[in-house]
Amino acid sequence: MLLLDSLLRLVSFYSGNATLQLLRLETGTVAKSPNMKTFSQGGINAPMFLGFKTSMQDLNFHYQDDLNTTMERLFYQQVEKSTCDIQYLKFGDHLPLEEIWLGVVPIPSDHSFKNLKSLFVVECEYLPNVIPFYLLPFLCNLEEIHVINCKSIKAIFDVQDMRVDMKLPSQHSLPLKKLILSQLPNLEYIWNLMSDEFLSLQSLQEVYIYSCEKLKSLFPTSVANHLVMLDVRDCARLVEILVENEAALKGETKQFIFHCLISITLRKLPELKYFYNGKHSLEWPMLAYLDIYHCDKLKLFTSEHNSGEVADIEDQVGISNHQQAIFIVEKIFPNIEQLSLKKEDAMAISHGLFQAKVIPELEHQAITTEDTMIMRRQFGANAAHLLQNLKLLTLLCYHEDDESNIFSSGLLEKIPNIENLRVACSSFNEIFPSLKPSAGCTKIVSNLKGLYLDFLLKLSSIGLEHLWVEPLLKTLETLSVRGCPCLKILVPSNVSFSNLVYLNVYSCHGLDCQAIQEIVSKEGVPESNDDEIIITFRQLNALCIESLPSIVGFHM
């Protein structure tokens, strides 16, 4: 008996030209070996052979003419069965199915790929697109697409030729729920005819797009209906998220209500100007997580009174476009739990700089400078109050003023319930200054449970040793520091954490500055007998120290 089981790369039993003498072979089983098409390239002498089974449970033996003919017939039968049964397809693991997918061989059955739910294309260098138009009618259960690190791909869905094939409907709907695209340097389109006339993705919930340098827009407007997660990063040429044909752009104001969208992450998109380039209104009733940074051409926030205002921008060919702010702070802030703000936006929110010069009920009255300042202060106070559900605040891009600190905007001390603070991509020398900035700062630090410091290239001190920061030492549970090249000491040894549970320090040599030598330092502590010094971490149960090549000890 011959048993060949789960040999995914096996294409033949023998590839030479010699004659195989299998004088006593009676039966064989070839199971889960989808690429085996030929038994032997040479002759075969198997006088007692009765046939193959396709599994150990198979009760029937399959035989036709000879071993090779039998193997080839079983191969095509198994390919047809696989196309009908397969739920998870990864390119590179199923060569016969890939040949069908690419149109090299005909689609064997009307039921082919009907059960396919997940498609993975990883490091594939021969595909111009991922989903050919002729496969769309078969992918009635496809829920996930993952395309990663493929240099040849220019489009995910090929729909340009759909009208040519009269057998296809004018529009096809896919039940796709998750789309992940990463490291696709030549990707130009999600689908190469940007219109929902041909393809509908009404069920799409999660979109993750990373490092697609040539991508300029994402989806037609119809895709927005059921989005839950939108995460787009490092796409250097992306200009807009949702697109519409030119005729629709000239029409009435388009209303978008993102009933399901919970989280938006937009990072390092230097050319992004529009969520939608046309007259529109946006509503985000469920939005709780908002993380946007290094999208400097995108207008983010406005107030209700200013929501109709647009910024006139001329593109390279001189066409004037209306750029509207994406978020009305009074509408989105009450639900926000995690928020990222660059310095300018934090200042604008805190000081009411979004406040209209003339509000509707006062449009026929003279507004003095003093009135304007009063309205701005009221707006700033109200906007901060609207952030009562905020749990994590990220402050970003404090670069212009070397004397600034995390309290400079005036916003932080107005947020009542903040529990976690992240400071990133800024030029601070110190997080907590030696002098308390304002009376409200003590309350803020006494509520913090997590402090995250990321990529602060000039940071030389956190400032946890200052007296006014002492309440933080009693509540802080998580301290994470990464990418801070000038930081040599986290805290002096007279600093004691009462509730610290998680300490994470890594990549603090930054740009070849491999500086940290110890975690807990003697600096700032009076001379005494070392035996009398007790350093206590009562709640610490996890300690991660990574990529610190100069460290010589935890406490010296």
Side-chain angles (χ1 to χ4, degrees):
M1 177 182 175
L2 175 66
L3 174 61
L4 304 174
D5 190 7
S6 300
L7 303 173
L8 298 181
R9 304 286 181 178
L10 185 67
V11 294
S12 66
F13 182 81
Y14 175 62
S15 60
N17 295 321
T19 298
L20 291 180
Q21 298 289 343
L22 305 173
L23 304 179
R24 293 183 175 274
L25 181 64
E26 296 182 356
T27 62
T29 299
V30 180
K32 299 178 182 179
S33 302
N35 293 313
M36 187 170 178
K37 185 176 180 179
T38 304
F39 192 84
S40 173
Q41 300 293 331
I44 304 172
N45 181 22
M48 302 180 65
F49 188 69
L50 299 176
F52 282 117
K53 295 197 299 181
T54 57
S55 72
M56 297 299 293
Q57 294 75 33
D58 194 353
L59 300 178
N60 299 316
F61 288 99
H62 307 271
Y63 185 77
Q64 185 171 357
D65 297 337
D66 56 56
L67 268 170
N68 275 340
T69 303
T70 302
M71 193 71 256
E72 186 173 352
R73 176 63 63 89
L74 285 178
F75 169 78
Y76 286 116
Q77 289 177 355
Q78 288 302 306
V79 167
E80 180 175 347
K81 184 176 186 301
S82 294
T83 62
C84 297
D85 294 345
I86 193 165
Q87 296 184 22
Y88 172 100
L89 175 59
K90 181 180 179 182
F91 267 60
D93 289 348
H94 303 275
L95 182 59
L97 270 62
E98 293 171 32
E99 291 179 340
I100 295 171
W101 192 277
L102 298 173
V104 177
V105 297
I107 299 173
S109 166
D110 290 341
H111 300 287
S112 295
F113 303 114
K114 295 288 187 180
N115 289 309
L116 183 65
K117 292 185 177 181
S118 300
L119 174 66
F120 284 75
V121 182
V122 180
E123 296 182 352
C124 185
E125 301 304 331
Y126 54 85
L127 285 179
N129 56 70
V130 178
I131 309 290
F133 74 95
Y134 50 81
L135 284 179
L136 289 173
F138 297 90
L139 304 176
C140 55
N141 286 299
L142 184 63
E143 295 182 352
E144 293 188 19
I145 296 177
H146 301 243
V147 187
I148 300 171
N149 195 18
C150 301
K151 294 180 181 179
S152 62
I153 289 176
K154 294 184 177 181
I156 303 303
F157 300 97
D158 174 22
V159 296
Q160 280 188 327
D161 298 325
M162 286 189 70
R163 279 180 170 173
V164 177
D165 194 323
M166 302 305 295
K167 297 179 182 179
L168 293 175
S170 58
Q171 184 189 66
H172 191 81
S173 178
L174 286 185
L176 192 69
K177 294 181 179 179
K178 179 185 287 188
L179 178 64
I180 298 178
L181 309 177
S182 179
Q183 300 177 63
L184 308 177
N186 291 302
L187 181 69
E188 297 179 3
Y189 310 98
I190 304 297
W191 54 80
N192 54 13
L193 200 59
M194 193 60 77
S195 171
D196 50 13
E197 179 182 353
F198 305 103
L199 178 63
S200 173
L201 300 179
Q202 293 286 332
S203 300
L204 190 60
Q205 297 176 6
E206 299 179 47
V207 175
Y208 306 89
I209 301 178
Y210 308 143
S211 300
C212 299
E213 289 86 354
K214 291 188 177 180
L215 199 60
K216 293 184 178 181
S217 58
L218 297 190
F219 304 109
T221 55
S222 61
V223 172
N225 293 339
H226 295 92
L227 275 181
V228 176
M229 302 276 295
L230 177 63
D231 189 338
V232 187
R233 313 182 191 197
D234 298 296
C235 297
R237 299 184 187 178
L238 188 70
V239 175
E240 55 191 329
I241 303 296
L242 301 177
V243 295
E244 192 77 271
N245 59 53
E246 291 185 6
L249 284 173
K250 297 177 181 178
E252 298 180 357
T253 299
K254 193 171 185 68
Q255 184 179 31
F256 297 96
I257 303 177
F258 295 88
H259 294 285
C260 306
L261 193 62
I262 295 175
S263 176
I264 297 178
T265 299
L266 304 174
R267 296 185 179 182
K268 298 182 180 179
L269 308 173
E271 297 300 320
L272 183 64
K273 294 181 182 179
Y274 314 106
F275 206 90
Y276 172 74
N277 183 13
K279 294 182 179 180
H280 65 281
S281 64
L282 298 165
E283 294 186 29
W284 322 82
M286 299 300 293
L287 189 63
Y289 308 96
L290 184 57
D291 181 14
I292 300 178
Y293 74 87
H294 289 178
C295 301
D296 295 334
K297 294 185 179 181
L298 192 64
K299 185 178 179 183
L300 293 181
F301 300 107
T302 189
S303 71
E304 284 187 312
H305 297 309
N306 276 357
S307 59
E309 292 187 353
V310 296
D312 243 8
I313 296 177
E314 284 198 354
D315 64 18
Q316 292 180 351
V317 294
I319 299 173
S320 178
N321 298 295
H322 291 289
Q323 186 184 33
Q324 296 178 220
I326 300 177
F327 306 107
I328 299 174
V329 294
E330 294 92 337
K331 291 185 176 182
I332 70 159
F333 277 6
N335 291 328
I336 291 292
E337 297 178 14
Q338 296 186 15
L339 176 65
S340 297
L341 291 174
K342 62 182 180 181
K343 179 182 178 180
E344 291 79 7
D345 288 329
M347 293 283 289
I349 293 169
S350 179
H351 298 294
L353 301 183
F354 299 131
Q355 178 62 49
K357 294 179 181 179
V358 179
I359 57 179
E361 58 267 30
L362 298 176
E363 62 181 351
H364 299 299
Q365 301 180 27
I367 304 298
T368 67
T369 302
E370 183 179 356
D371 292 332
T372 302
M373 295 305 296
I374 291 173
M375 286 187 291
R376 286 180 173 178
R377 284 195 295 269
Q378 290 174 344
F379 175 82
N382 291 336
H385 177 70
L386 291 171
L387 291 169
Q388 58 186 337
N389 288 317
L390 186 66
K391 303 301 181 186
L392 170 60
L393 174 65
T394 299
L395 297 176
L396 300 155
C397 302
Y398 280 66
H399 295 301
E400 294 80 3
D401 184 0
D402 291 338
E403 300 301 320
S404 67
N405 57 67
I406 61 172
F407 300 98
S408 298
S409 67
L411 178 65
L412 188 56
E413 54 265 45
K414 296 177 182 177
I415 303 174
N417 300 315
I418 183 172
E419 294 180 353
N420 297 279
L421 176 63
R422 178 174 174 254
V423 185
C425 189
S426 297
S427 300
F428 297 125
N429 296 317
E430 190 173 39
I431 299 300
F432 302 106
S434 56
L435 297 178
K436 181 166 62 175
S438 66
C441 296
T442 302
K443 181 180 179 181
I444 291 298
V445 299
S446 64
N447 289 335
L448 287 180
K449 295 181 180 179
L451 180 62
Y452 306 85
L453 308 176
D454 298 337
F455 307 109
L456 306 175
L457 301 185
K458 294 184 179 180
L459 187 69
S460 59
S461 172
I462 299 175
L464 292 171
E465 68 275 13
H466 302 317
L467 289 177
W468 73 272
V469 189
E470 186 175 352
L472 174 61
L473 305 179
K474 299 177 181 179
T475 60
L476 194 65
E477 297 177 0
T478 298
L479 176 59
S480 176
V481 184
R482 62 172 179 167
C484 300
C486 294
L487 190 65
K488 295 184 178 180
I489 298 169
L490 285 183
V491 293
S493 59
N494 62 334
V495 172
S496 180
F497 296 96
S498 303
N499 286 291
L500 193 65
V501 175
Y502 185 77
L503 175 62
N504 192 5
V505 181
Y506 62 100
S507 294
C508 277
H509 55 277
L511 301 174
D512 297 322
C513 179
Q514 305 175 8
I516 286 189
Q517 298 175 356
E518 54 186 318
I519 304 299
V520 181
S521 168
K522 296 180 182 179
E523 283 190 15
V525 180
E527 291 292 333
S528 64
N529 188 335
D530 286 350
D531 293 338
E532 297 176 0
I533 298 177
I534 299 176
I535 302 172
T536 304
F537 299 89
R538 293 186 178 88
Q539 302 296 325
L540 184 65
N541 61 28
L543 175 64
C544 176
I545 301 174
E546 182 180 346
S547 299
L548 303 178
S550 296
I551 197 165
V552 293
F554 187 86
H555 173 61
M556 302 298 292

